[in-house]
Amino acid sequence: MNTLQSAVVGLKKGLPALHSKLSLTLLIICLVTTGCAMIKVNKENAQYLASTVLVGRISTPVPGKGPIIVAAYSIQQGKRVVAHYTVLHDVGEYELMVGKGDYYVFAYWDKNSNLIYDSGEPAGQYGEPKKVIAPAGGVIGDINIAIPAKTQNIDVPCGFEISSLKPTKLHSRLAGAIIDLDDDLFSEENGSKGYWEGVSFFKEIGGNIYFLEEYDPGKIPILFIHGATGTPRGWKYFVDNIDRTLYQPWLFYYPSGARIQSMSHLLFWKLQNLQAKYHFNQLYITAHSMGGLVARSFIMDHGATFPYVKLFVAMATPWGGDGMAEYGVKQSPAVIPCWIDMQPESQFIKSLYRTKMPETVSFYMFYGHQGSRNPFRENNDNTISFSSLLDRRAQSEAKMNYAFNEDHVSIIFSKEVLEQYNTILNTFSKNPGRSSDLAGGFLKINFSYKYQLEGKSSSPTLILQPIGKKNADMVVDLTADDSSRVLGPFPKGDYVASFGALTAIGEKFVPVAIESNKTTELNYVLSPENIIYGSLISALQSNDWVAGMPYEANFTIDSITLDGSGIHRKSHLLESEDVNILDYTIERTDLFYKGHFVFFGLLPGEYELVIRVQGYKPFVKKCYIKAGKQLDPMLIELTPE
């Protein structure tokens, strides 16, 4: 009996040019004609819905030797069983995918790369250790681990084996890992696996931004994003023919069959960590096909927090979705998760146009008109209909929309396309004044802490609000080590600046004028603040909440109250999409928004948290705040009545 993988490989042998963009029609045929394939895809989907992504950062006071291994394990019949592990080439961010359950997370320098925690290898763990309770779906963050310079006692015994399967090469999944385009990691088989078997792909390969060379602050990064069934290798023609003295290629590699919005969140997480490490102030994005939807979703959801995207070029992107995806969702016995988002009337497609592309992003569209013509199908580029490629919502925002005598795949191997692309690239880079913010000024942020909270300071955020402009706020996330960092450029003009952290108070609404080519200094001192905060989830899980997708609950809240230490507080229930959540956060207003709640400015003492939600049993919990110790965020699973 054929497997799904063999079906895909067989198809590719017949159509090698389509390896990175198979039409959804052919994909559905493969599924329907392969019984084992349907079973396998449905099994993957069930695992996808039942999984959660754990994320955090690994730190250490001194560099170590060998890769860092981060692993999540559960206790089963008295034994430690690793659910997932990942490999890092340096300290930084990590991601682990686990099923619903209770886990412990630890990390160590694997000096001999044998996937065994040996004596003498520096190690650290989350908590002492602290249990991580994973629901089915979503992301659990801030599972941060410090590895000391010397060995220490952790709850995992020396000699513990991470995996009996030893890969020939331990690939780093830390953003910025250097790789060659010809590496086997970027094989066609792996690209297909990322589409058909997204969970297996994520566990074996992960999702990451790779570099082809060491980071160079003198070069502008161009992030290339592949589409369905693709890999970064598909960008080889472009990578080999851009000016590498001016630009450095970055490559986003992800399981393309996953829900698209979850991949845009993964992209944000990776870029956020790279920006914190290298402090770059501009990024160009080039995307093919479905990769353009990933990029636009990232810009729409995270543009305010990540204002560094200056140029976005999308090629053969299905801006209006794909009718075949809708057909597949309704008719196919097995559904690839990304089809749900690719439906023309899906909530995801609609979300891409809820606001306009930021003015600070120069956006260009490319498409090919060499497609099939038959009476049974709309005119297309051999894969995507023109009505989707030329969706008026996207086209109205593009500075230019270029058409080429290419099809859906050949567009990224075309000499004419490359020439036009390089013209845009080089003209834009040499004339930065075309983007208003590149002609602006800079801010130097100096800050310090009045405290040490359990040995780790809270990461601060700068919020810039232009005077007289509504919904134009800019948010810059910093790390605790970023004092004296120069930020920008920002558009010239008058602003009010607010600075603080979730668990620390800074100064708010400080007037600041930004002038072209000048740097203005701002100085802050952060004071500690205790809060109680968390997220609500439902035992009645939605299929829209999958691994890697932040949870946004649609609960009808009656009340969220907090009593104790002489106070009675009630959360503001914010429901409107037009609410500027930043205003409430700056003012430290107790609130509930999109499934998340927070109470600010609490004194040490005992409190009772009561949450009443229509259709669910009341949730009551005692919370104890101690001086110098911040409570961890809560993940509350409500029980239906």
Side-chain angles (χ1 to χ4, degrees):
M1 184 178 293
N2 290 331
T3 65
L4 180 60
Q5 190 70 20
S6 63
V8 174
V9 172
L11 179 62
K12 287 187 295 186
K13 287 181 179 178
L15 298 170
L18 297 182
H19 73 275
S20 65
K21 289 287 167 277
L22 299 174
S23 88
L24 282 168
T25 308
L26 293 177
L27 297 178
I28 293 171
I29 291 172
C30 282
L31 282 171
V32 172
T33 58
T34 311
C36 269
M38 291 188 294
I39 295 172
K40 196 166 188 179
V41 169
N42 283 328
K43 184 178 178 180
E44 285 272 325
N45 288 344
Q47 192 175 356
Y48 190 38
L49 287 170
S51 296
T52 300
V53 176
L54 312 181
V55 301
R57 294 180 176 89
I58 308 300
S59 60
T60 186
V62 294
K65 181 181 180 182
I68 297 175
I69 306 298
V70 190
Y73 67 88
S74 60
I75 304 296
Q76 299 180 19
Q77 297 179 341
K79 294 183 178 180
R80 295 174 182 82
V81 178
V82 173
H84 190 208
Y85 76 91
T86 190
V87 180
L88 312 179
H89 68 277
D90 199 355
V91 295
E93 85 286 346
Y94 73 87
E95 308 85 39
L96 298 168
M97 181 180 282
V98 298
K100 183 175 183 178
D102 299 341
Y103 298 91
Y104 300 92
V105 184
F106 81 107
Y108 70 99
W109 287 104
D110 194 0
K111 293 181 177 179
N112 51 14
S113 301
N114 65 352
L115 290 181
I116 297 174
Y117 171 47
D118 293 315
S119 176
E121 292 178 329
Q125 62 190 5
Y126 178 62
E128 297 179 353
K130 182 176 181 178
K131 185 187 296 182
V132 178
I133 302 173
V139 180
I140 298 179
D142 291 329
I143 307 175
N144 303 319
I145 298 172
I147 300 177
K150 298 180 180 179
T151 58
Q152 71 172 29
N153 292 326
I154 63 172
D155 199 53
V156 178
C158 292
F160 180 68
E161 186 174 46
I162 302 299
S163 174
S164 58
L165 298 175
K166 312 294 183 184
T168 55
K169 184 177 180 180
L170 294 177
H171 280 285
S172 173
R173 300 177 194 176
L174 182 70
I178 296 176
I179 197 169
D180 190 279
L181 270 178
D182 294 325
D183 194 286
D184 289 342
L185 197 70
F186 297 157
S187 68
E188 292 182 11
E189 288 74 18
N190 281 338
S192 292
K193 188 182 187 72
Y195 188 86
W196 298 94
E197 304 170 56
V199 173
S200 297
F201 178 98
F202 191 86
K203 286 202 164 187
E204 294 170 19
I205 297 173
N208 198 17
I209 294 175
Y210 290 96
F211 290 3
L212 298 178
E213 58 198 23
E214 293 286 349
Y215 175 77
D216 186 339
K219 298 179 182 179
I220 299 170
I222 303 177
L223 179 69
F224 291 95
I225 307 177
H226 64 77
T229 78
T231 80
R233 193 179 292 172
W235 289 108
K236 182 173 174 58
Y237 182 63
F238 271 63
V239 167
D240 288 347
N241 290 283
I242 59 174
D243 188 344
R244 296 285 288 274
T245 66
L246 296 177
Y247 310 109
Q248 50 191 316
W250 294 0
L251 309 161
F252 184 44
Y253 193 25
Y254 63 101
S256 59
R259 295 293 295 271
I260 301 174
Q261 193 173 23
S262 70
M263 293 300 97
S264 79
H265 286 300
L266 174 63
L267 176 59
F268 172 60
W269 166 248
K270 289 295 184 180
L271 284 173
Q272 191 180 39
N273 282 284
L274 284 173
Q275 210 284 325
K277 183 175 183 180
Y278 295 119
H279 303 166
F280 57 88
N281 57 25
Q282 57 180 321
L283 174 73
Y284 299 172
I285 295 180
T286 303
H288 181 217
S289 191
M290 193 178 77
L293 301 182
V294 175
R296 179 164 183 127
S297 177
F298 157 70
I299 293 169
M300 292 297 101
D301 289 344
H302 305 291
T305 311
F306 196 90
Y308 311 104
V309 178
K310 307 304 178 186
L311 178 66
F312 174 29
V313 180
M315 303 184 181
T317 292
W319 296 113
D322 193 331
M324 292 308 299
E326 184 176 26
Y327 180 83
V329 170
K330 293 178 178 178
Q331 302 295 330
S332 176
V335 175
I336 304 298
C338 68
W339 293 357
I340 299 170
D341 294 330
M342 286 287 291
Q343 297 176 95
E345 296 301 317
S346 70
Q347 290 301 311
F348 171 76
I349 292 294
K350 292 177 182 178
S351 75
L352 298 178
Y353 308 105
R354 66 182 183 271
T355 59
K356 294 288 187 181
M357 184 81 69
E359 293 181 0
T360 54
V361 179
S362 292
F363 170 47
Y364 293 84
M365 292 170 56
F366 287 21
Y367 77 100
H369 53 73
Q370 188 185 94
S372 64
R373 306 286 186 271
N374 66 66
F376 304 105
R377 193 175 176 200
E378 287 186 76
N379 289 342
N380 57 79
D381 68 351
N382 250 353
T383 301
I384 303 299
S385 68
F386 287 161
S387 61
S388 182
L389 293 168
L390 301 175
D391 187 284
R392 59 178 177 77
R393 294 168 294 186
Q395 196 169 181
S396 67
E397 298 178 329
K399 290 186 177 296
M400 283 291 294
N401 184 11
Y402 296 94
F404 299 89
N405 187 29
E406 305 292 344
D407 64 23
H408 193 75
V409 175
S410 68
I411 195 168
I412 59 172
F413 300 100
S414 163
K415 179 181 178 182
E416 289 73 21
V417 172
L418 178 69
E419 287 178 351
Q420 182 60 62
Y421 175 78
N422 273 327
T423 298
I424 292 171
L425 204 65
N426 296 328
T427 302
F428 183 84
S429 300
K430 293 173 183 176
N431 296 278
R434 295 178 64 193
S435 179
S436 60
D437 60 338
L438 287 177
F442 300 83
L443 292 176
K444 184 177 181 181
I445 309 298
N446 305 308
F447 61 91
S448 60
Y449 294 87
K450 277 188 176 179
Y451 68 100
Q452 281 269 321
L453 189 61
E454 290 192 323
K456 185 178 185 299
S457 298
S458 184
S459 295
T461 297
L462 172 70
I463 301 174
L464 273 181
Q465 298 175 296
I467 295 176
K469 291 185 179 180
K470 187 178 180 181
N471 298 324
D473 302 345
M474 287 174 281
V475 181
V476 182
D477 289 323
L478 303 169
T479 71
D481 300 320
D482 278 341
S483 183
S484 300
R485 177 177 163 187
V486 176
L487 307 174
F490 300 107
K492 63 181 180 180
D494 294 323
Y495 298 80
V496 289
S498 300
F499 190 79
L502 191 61
T503 59
I505 304 172
E507 198 170 352
K508 59 187 179 184
F509 304 131
V510 176
V512 57
I514 295 180
E515 302 178 52
S516 292
N517 302 315
K518 291 186 178 181
T519 300
T520 302
E521 289 198 33
L522 293 173
N523 301 289
Y524 297 99
V525 177
L526 292 168
S527 302
E529 181 180 40
N530 287 108
I531 67 172
I532 290 176
Y533 65 121
S535 304
L536 307 183
I537 63 174
S538 172
L540 303 175
Q541 183 190 351
S542 164
N543 285 351
D544 283 332
W545 191 44
V546 295
M549 187 86 79
Y551 192 79
E552 292 188 3
N554 294 316
F555 296 120
T556 301
I557 305 291
D558 287 331
S559 64
I560 302 179
T561 59
L562 189 70
D563 289 278
S565 295
I567 67 164
H568 172 76
R569 305 262 284 272
K570 190 173 183 179
S571 237
H572 287 72
L573 306 179
L574 307 180
E575 298 176 352
S576 171
E577 287 289 334
D578 296 330
V579 166
N580 187 344
I581 191 68
L582 294 176
D583 290 339
Y584 288 86
T585 304
I586 293 170
E587 293 287 4
R588 316 301 280 184
T589 302
D590 302 336
L591 59 87
F592 172 84
Y593 184 66
K594 291 188 174 181
H596 310 286
F597 68 90
V598 59
F599 289 93
F600 292 103
L602 301 175
L603 297 172
E606 177 182 326
Y607 296 86
E608 182 177 74
L609 174 68
V610 180
I611 301 174
R612 300 185 186 278
V613 181
Q614 291 183 20
Y616 294 87
K617 296 178 181 178
F619 175 85
V620 181
K621 181 181 176 64
K622 294 288 186 182
C623 304
Y624 302 91
I625 290 181
K626 297 179 180 178
K629 183 175 182 180
Q630 173 60 50
L631 293 181
D632 291 324
M634 304 178 194
L635 185 65
I636 299 169
E637 185 170 320
L638 298 173
T639 304
E641 288 183 338

